[in-house]
Coordinates of all heavy atoms in Angstrom, one line a residue:
N1 N 2.7 -20.4 7.4 CA 2.2 -19.1 7.8 C 0.7 -19.1 7.9 O 0.0 -19.6 7.0 CB 2.7 -18.0 6.8 CG 4.2 -17.9 6.9 OD1 4.8 -18.0 8.0 ND2 4.8 -17.5 5.8
P2 N 0.1 -18.5 8.9 CA -1.4 -18.4 8.9 C -1.9 -17.5 7.8 O -1.2 -16.6 7.4 CB -1.6 -17.8 10.3 CG -0.4 -17.0 10.6 CD 0.7 -17.8 10.0
I3 N -3.1 -17.8 7.3 CA -3.7 -17.0 6.3 C -5.0 -16.4 6.7 O -5.6 -15.5 6.1 CB -4.0 -17.8 5.0 CG1 -4.9 -19.0 5.3 CG2 -2.7 -18.3 4.4 CD1 -5.4 -19.7 4.1
N4 N -5.6 -16.8 7.9 CA -6.8 -16.3 8.4 C -6.6 -15.4 9.7 O -5.6 -15.7 10.4 CB -7.8 -17.4 8.8 CG -8.3 -18.1 7.5 OD1 -8.4 -17.6 6.4 ND2 -8.5 -19.4 7.7
P5 N -7.3 -14.4 9.8 CA -8.5 -14.0 9.0 C -8.0 -13.2 7.7 O -7.1 -12.4 7.8 CB -9.3 -13.0 9.9 CG -8.2 -12.5 10.8 CD -7.2 -13.6 11.0
E6 N -8.7 -13.5 6.6 CA -8.4 -12.8 5.4 C -9.1 -11.4 5.3 O -8.5 -10.4 5.0 CB -8.9 -13.6 4.2 CG -8.8 -12.9 2.9 CD -9.4 -13.8 1.7 OE1 -9.7 -15.0 1.9 OE2 -9.6 -13.2 0.6
L7 N -10.4 -11.4 5.8 CA -11.2 -10.2 5.7 C -11.6 -9.8 7.1 O -12.1 -10.7 7.9 CB -12.4 -10.3 4.9 CG -12.2 -10.6 3.4 CD1 -13.6 -10.7 2.7 CD2 -11.4 -9.5 2.7
L8 N -11.5 -8.5 7.5 CA -12.0 -8.0 8.7 C -13.1 -6.9 8.4 O -12.8 -5.8 7.9 CB -10.9 -7.4 9.5 CG -9.7 -8.3 9.9 CD1 -8.5 -7.6 10.5 CD2 -10.2 -9.4 10.8
S9 N -14.3 -7.3 8.6 CA -15.4 -6.5 8.2 C -16.0 -5.7 9.4 O -16.6 -6.3 10.3 CB -16.5 -7.4 7.6 OG -17.7 -6.6 7.3
I10 N -15.7 -4.4 9.5 CA -16.1 -3.5 10.6 C -17.6 -3.1 10.3 O -17.8 -2.2 9.4 CB -15.2 -2.4 10.6 CG1 -13.8 -2.8 10.9 CG2 -15.7 -1.4 11.8 CD1 -12.7 -1.7 10.8
H11 N -18.5 -3.6 11.0 CA -19.9 -3.3 10.9 C -20.3 -2.1 11.7 O -20.6 -2.3 12.9 CB -20.8 -4.5 11.1 CG -22.3 -4.2 11.1 ND1 -23.2 -5.1 11.7 CD2 -23.0 -3.2 10.6 CE1 -24.4 -4.6 11.5 NE2 -24.3 -3.4 10.9
I12 N -20.3 -0.9 11.1 CA -20.9 0.2 11.8 C -22.4 0.1 12.0 O -23.0 -0.2 11.0 CB -20.4 1.6 11.1 CG1 -18.9 1.6 11.1 CG2 -21.0 2.8 11.8 CD1 -18.4 2.7 10.1
P13 N -23.0 0.4 13.1 CA -24.4 0.2 13.2 C -25.3 1.0 12.3 O -24.9 2.1 11.9 CB -24.7 0.8 14.7 CG -23.4 0.5 15.4 CD -22.3 0.7 14.4
K14 N -26.3 0.3 11.7 CA -27.2 0.9 10.7 C -26.6 1.3 9.4 O -26.9 2.3 8.8 CB -27.9 2.1 11.4 CG -28.5 1.9 12.8 CD -29.2 0.5 12.9 CE -30.5 0.5 12.1 NZ -31.2 -0.9 12.3
T15 N -25.7 0.4 8.9 CA -25.1 0.6 7.6 C -25.2 -0.7 6.7 O -24.3 -1.0 6.0 CB -23.6 1.0 7.7 OG1 -22.9 0.0 8.5 CG2 -23.5 2.3 8.5
A16 N -26.3 -1.3 6.8 CA -26.6 -2.6 6.0 C -25.7 -3.7 6.4 O -25.5 -4.6 5.6 CB -26.5 -2.2 4.5
G17 N -25.2 -3.8 7.6 CA -24.3 -4.8 8.0 C -24.9 -6.2 8.0 O -24.2 -7.2 7.7
R18 N -26.1 -6.4 8.4 CA -26.8 -7.7 8.4 C -26.9 -8.3 7.0 O -26.6 -9.5 6.8 CB -28.2 -7.6 9.0 CG -28.2 -7.3 10.5 CD -29.6 -7.4 11.0 NE -29.7 -7.2 12.4 CZ -30.8 -7.2 13.2 NH1 -31.9 -7.5 12.6 NH2 -30.8 -6.9 14.5
T19 N -27.3 -7.4 6.0 CA -27.4 -7.9 4.7 C -26.0 -8.3 4.1 O -25.8 -9.3 3.5 CB -27.9 -6.7 3.8 OG1 -29.2 -6.4 4.3 CG2 -28.1 -7.2 2.3
F20 N -24.9 -7.5 4.5 CA -23.6 -7.8 4.1 C -23.1 -9.0 4.6 O -22.4 -9.9 4.0 CB -22.7 -6.6 4.4 CG -21.3 -6.8 3.8 CD1 -21.1 -7.0 2.4 CD2 -20.2 -6.7 4.6 CE1 -19.8 -7.1 1.9 CE2 -18.9 -6.9 4.2 CZ -18.7 -7.1 2.8
R21 N -23.5 -9.3 5.9 CA -23.1 -10.6 6.5 C -23.7 -11.8 5.8 O -22.9 -12.8 5.6 CB -23.6 -10.6 8.0 CG -23.3 -11.9 8.8 CD -23.9 -11.9 10.1 NE -25.4 -11.9 10.0 CZ -26.2 -11.6 11.0 NH1 -25.7 -11.3 12.2 NH2 -27.5 -11.6 10.9
E22 N -24.9 -11.7 5.3 CA -25.4 -12.8 4.5 C -24.7 -13.0 3.2 O -24.5 -14.1 2.7 CB -26.9 -12.6 4.3 CG -27.7 -12.6 5.5 CD -27.4 -13.8 6.4 OE1 -27.5 -14.9 5.9 OE2 -27.1 -13.6 7.7
I23 N -24.3 -11.9 2.6 CA -23.5 -12.0 1.3 C -22.1 -12.6 1.7 O -21.7 -13.4 0.9 CB -23.3 -10.6 0.8 CG1 -24.7 -10.1 0.3 CG2 -22.3 -10.6 -0.4 CD1 -24.7 -8.6 -0.2
L24 N -21.5 -12.2 2.8 CA -20.2 -12.9 3.1 C -20.4 -14.4 3.3 O -19.6 -15.2 2.9 CB -19.7 -12.2 4.4 CG -19.2 -10.8 4.3 CD1 -19.0 -10.2 5.7 CD2 -17.9 -10.7 3.4
K25 N -21.5 -14.8 3.9 CA -21.7 -16.2 4.1 C -22.0 -16.9 2.8 O -21.6 -18.1 2.6 CB -23.0 -16.4 5.0 CG -22.7 -16.1 6.5 CD -23.9 -16.3 7.4 CE -23.7 -15.9 8.8 NZ -24.9 -16.1 9.7
S26 N -22.6 -16.2 1.9 CA -22.8 -16.8 0.6 C -21.5 -17.1 -0.2 O -21.5 -17.9 -1.1 CB -23.8 -15.9 -0.3 OG -23.1 -14.8 -0.9
Q27 N -20.5 -16.3 0.1 CA -19.2 -16.5 -0.6 C -18.2 -17.3 0.2 O -17.4 -18.0 -0.4 CB -18.6 -15.0 -0.7 CG -19.4 -14.1 -1.6 CD -19.6 -14.7 -3.0 OE1 -18.7 -15.0 -3.7 NE2 -20.8 -14.7 -3.4
Y28 N -18.3 -17.3 1.5 CA -17.3 -18.1 2.3 C -17.9 -19.2 3.1 O -17.1 -19.9 3.8 CB -16.5 -17.0 3.3 CG -15.8 -16.0 2.5 CD1 -16.4 -14.7 2.3 CD2 -14.5 -16.2 2.2 CE1 -15.7 -13.8 1.6 CE2 -13.7 -15.2 1.4 CZ -14.4 -14.0 1.2 OH -13.7 -13.1 0.5
G29 N -19.1 -19.3 3.0 CA -19.8 -20.4 3.8 C -20.2 -20.0 5.1 O -19.6 -19.1 5.7
V30 N -21.3 -20.6 5.7 CA -21.8 -20.3 7.0 C -20.7 -20.4 8.0 O -20.6 -19.6 9.0 CB -23.0 -21.1 7.3 CG1 -23.5 -20.9 8.8 CG2 -24.2 -20.8 6.4
N31 N -19.9 -21.4 7.8 CA -18.8 -21.7 8.8 C -17.5 -21.0 8.5 O -16.5 -21.2 9.2 CB -18.5 -23.2 8.8 CG -19.7 -24.0 9.4 OD1 -20.4 -23.6 10.2 ND2 -19.9 -25.2 8.8
G32 N -17.6 -20.1 7.5 CA -16.4 -19.3 7.2 C -16.4 -17.9 7.7 O -15.4 -17.2 7.5
V33 N -17.5 -17.6 8.4 CA -17.7 -16.2 8.9 C -17.9 -16.2 10.4 O -18.9 -16.8 10.9 CB -18.9 -15.5 8.2 CG1 -19.0 -14.1 8.8 CG2 -18.7 -15.4 6.7
L34 N -17.0 -15.6 11.1 CA -17.2 -15.5 12.5 C -17.8 -14.1 12.8 O -17.3 -13.1 12.5 CB -15.8 -15.5 13.3 CG -15.8 -15.3 14.8 CD1 -16.7 -16.3 15.5 CD2 -14.4 -15.2 15.3
S35 N -19.1 -14.2 13.3 CA -19.8 -13.0 13.6 C -19.9 -12.7 15.1 O -20.5 -13.5 15.8 CB -21.2 -13.2 13.0 OG -22.0 -12.0 13.1
L36 N -19.3 -11.6 15.5 CA -19.3 -11.2 16.9 C -19.5 -9.7 17.0 O -19.4 -9.0 16.0 CB -17.9 -11.6 17.6 CG -17.7 -13.1 17.8 CD1 -16.3 -13.3 18.3 CD2 -18.7 -13.6 18.9
D37 N -19.8 -9.2 18.2 CA -19.8 -7.8 18.4 C -19.3 -7.5 19.8 O -19.2 -8.3 20.7 CB -21.2 -7.2 18.2 CG -22.2 -7.8 19.2 OD1 -22.1 -7.5 20.4 OD2 -23.2 -8.5 18.7
H38 N -18.9 -6.2 20.0 CA -18.3 -5.8 21.2 C -19.3 -5.9 22.4 O -18.9 -6.0 23.6 CB -17.6 -4.5 21.1 CG -18.6 -3.3 20.9 ND1 -19.2 -2.6 21.9 CD2 -19.0 -2.8 19.7 CE1 -20.0 -1.7 21.4 NE2 -19.9 -1.7 20.1
Y39 N -20.6 -5.8 22.1 CA -21.6 -5.9 23.2 C -21.6 -7.3 23.8 O -21.5 -7.4 25.0 CB -23.0 -5.6 22.6 CG -23.1 -4.3 21.8 CD1 -23.3 -4.3 20.5 CD2 -23.1 -3.0 22.5 CE1 -23.4 -3.1 19.8 CE2 -23.2 -1.9 21.9 CZ -23.4 -1.9 20.5 OH -23.5 -0.8 19.8
Y40 N -21.6 -8.3 22.9 CA -21.6 -9.7 23.4 C -20.2 -10.0 24.2 O -20.2 -10.5 25.2 CB -21.6 -10.6 22.2 CG -21.4 -12.0 22.6 CD1 -22.4 -12.9 23.1 CD2 -20.1 -12.6 22.4 CE1 -22.2 -14.2 23.4 CE2 -19.9 -14.0 22.7 CZ -21.0 -14.8 23.2 OH -20.7 -16.0 23.6
L41 N -19.1 -9.5 23.6 CA -17.9 -9.8 24.2 C -17.7 -9.1 25.7 O -17.3 -9.8 26.6 CB -16.7 -9.2 23.4 CG -16.5 -10.0 22.0 CD1 -15.5 -9.3 21.2 CD2 -16.1 -11.4 22.3
T42 N -18.3 -7.9 25.7 CA -18.3 -7.2 27.0 C -19.2 -8.0 28.0 O -18.8 -8.2 29.2 CB -18.8 -5.8 26.9 OG1 -17.9 -5.1 26.0 CG2 -18.8 -5.1 28.2
K43 N -20.3 -8.4 27.6 CA -21.3 -9.1 28.5 C -20.7 -10.4 29.0 O -20.9 -10.8 30.1 CB -22.6 -9.4 27.7 CG -23.7 -10.0 28.5 CD -25.0 -10.1 27.8 CE -26.1 -10.8 28.7 NZ -27.3 -10.9 27.9
Q44 N -20.0 -11.1 28.1 CA -19.3 -12.4 28.5 C -17.9 -12.2 29.1 O -17.3 -13.2 29.5 CB -19.2 -13.2 27.2 CG -20.5 -13.6 26.5 CD -21.4 -14.4 27.3 OE1 -21.0 -15.3 28.0 NE2 -22.7 -14.0 27.3
N45 N -17.5 -11.0 29.2 CA -16.2 -10.7 29.8 C -15.1 -11.4 29.0 O -14.2 -12.0 29.6 CB -16.1 -11.1 31.3 CG -14.9 -10.5 32.0 OD1 -14.4 -9.4 31.6 ND2 -14.4 -11.2 33.0
E46 N -15.2 -11.3 27.7 CA -14.3 -12.0 26.8 C -13.6 -11.0 25.9 O -14.0 -9.8 25.8 CB -15.0 -12.9 25.9 CG -15.7 -14.1 26.6 CD -16.4 -15.1 25.6 OE1 -16.6 -14.6 24.5 OE2 -16.8 -16.1 26.1
Q47 N -12.5 -11.4 25.3 CA -11.7 -10.6 24.3 C -11.9 -11.3 23.0 O -12.1 -12.5 22.9 CB -10.3 -10.6 24.7 CG -9.9 -9.9 26.0 CD -10.3 -8.5 26.1 OE1 -10.1 -7.8 25.1 NE2 -10.8 -8.1 27.2
L48 N -11.8 -10.6 21.9 CA -11.9 -11.2 20.6 C -10.9 -12.3 20.4 O -11.1 -13.4 19.8 CB -11.7 -10.1 19.5 CG -11.9 -10.5 18.1 CD1 -13.3 -11.2 17.8 CD2 -11.7 -9.4 17.1

């Protein structure tokens, strides 16, 4: 059975999300956090 993603972190703009992202990386590793946003996905015509 798949176990990922374990955490889904919804970053509402201007709520300390960048700082929290660095904390997540400190706990799960740089390669353990997929950081994306809907602006990028829309620009690339991609889905999550």
Side-chain angles (χ1 to χ4, degrees):
N1 292 328
I3 60 173
N4 290 330
E6 177 186 345
L7 298 181
L8 299 174
S9 176
I10 301 171
H11 175 195
I12 299 167
K14 313 315 294 178
T15 59
R18 288 187 183 181
T19 304
F20 187 56
R21 180 184 63 195
E22 296 310 306
I23 291 172
L24 290 170
K25 289 180 179 179
S26 78
Q27 297 300 307
Y28 298 92
V30 174
N31 295 324
V33 179
L34 176 60
S35 184
L36 288 170
D37 64 63
H38 65 88
Y39 307 108
Y40 171 83
L41 293 172
T42 299
K43 185 176 181 180
Q44 299 298 318
N45 195 27
E46 295 178 349
Q47 301 295 321
L48 183 57

